[in-house]
Amino acid sequence: MTTVSLTVNGQSVTADVDPRTLLVQFLRDNLRLTGTHVGCDTSQCGACVVHLNGQAVKSCTVLAVQANASVVTTIEGIADGGELHPMQAAFREHHGLQCGFCTPGMIMSAIDIVNRKGNALDEQTIRAELEGNLCRCTGYHNIVKAVAAGARGMAQEPLSQAAE
């Protein structure tokens, strides 16, 4: 067993883990943060996207020991109390989900896109940037609309929350 210490959603956590434990397994099994999903086991679908030190990563490709001393944000950590993050609110308002399985990864990826590319995103950019996230239910039309609306909403939020 190896001891890992990291900050998850603003809280310090320390645990002993098997060195082969994936970050997604650590989040789901050890911390019971089940919003991060395992969809494919091959790093193709993006359902497991979280932010690691402020950047989107597929948590099925990162060992928990690699995240030692890092800051992790999951879908459970982006709302502000009872108020949804602007990207979450946009997905709800623009019906950017159907079954919801891919939604946490889509939202975490979308926030990362805005953080990297800015708030004025066109459809082509959004579609290209979401290539690593699969949705088996939709044609992505409403997801793209939701990301664009969420990006505009993130431009309106206070700086402390925008930095995430």
Side-chain angles (χ1 to χ4, degrees):
M1 298 297 269
T2 301
T3 301
V4 294
S5 296
L6 53 153
T7 302
V8 179
N9 298 334
Q11 302 213 343
S12 296
V13 296
T14 300
D16 291 327
V17 297
D18 181 310
R20 299 170 294 173
T21 302
L22 295 172
L23 180 58
V24 68
Q25 294 168 322
F26 178 73
L27 295 170
R28 291 181 59 82
D29 300 340
N30 292 62
L31 303 183
R32 302 289 183 225
L33 296 171
T34 57
T36 303
H37 295 153
V38 178
C40 65
D41 289 326
T42 61
S43 111
Q44 301 294 311
C45 74
C48 66
V49 172
V50 300
H51 292 179
L52 180 64
N53 294 328
Q55 296 186 334
V57 298
K58 292 180 178 178
S59 60
C60 72
T61 65
V62 178
L63 295 170
V65 295
Q66 291 175 297
N68 190 47
S70 297
V71 175
V72 176
T73 305
T74 69
I75 191 72
E76 291 92 347
I78 63 171
D80 185 12
E83 188 172 330
L84 294 177
H85 183 282
M87 193 62 72
Q88 289 173 303
F91 266 70
R92 181 180 66 188
E93 182 179 334
H94 294 274
H95 309 288
L97 59 100
Q98 198 157 9
C99 81
F101 191 82
C102 69
T103 306
M106 288 280 188
I107 289 172
M108 297 306 288
S109 292
I111 293 168
D112 181 66
I113 294 165
V114 174
N115 289 341
R116 288 184 295 105
K117 300 282 188 175
N119 301 89
L121 300 172
D122 61 28
E123 180 179 347
Q124 182 179 353
T125 300
I126 294 168
R127 287 184 181 277
E129 290 288 325
L130 286 178
E131 281 185 0
N133 293 78
L134 300 179
C135 176
R136 293 179 178 107
C137 300
T138 71
Y140 296 91
H141 178 74
N142 287 347
I143 292 170
V144 172
K145 286 180 10 183
V147 173
R152 291 189 300 273
M154 286 174 66
Q156 307 299 318
E157 69 181 339
L159 290 178
S160 62
Q161 192 178 18
E164 193 253 320

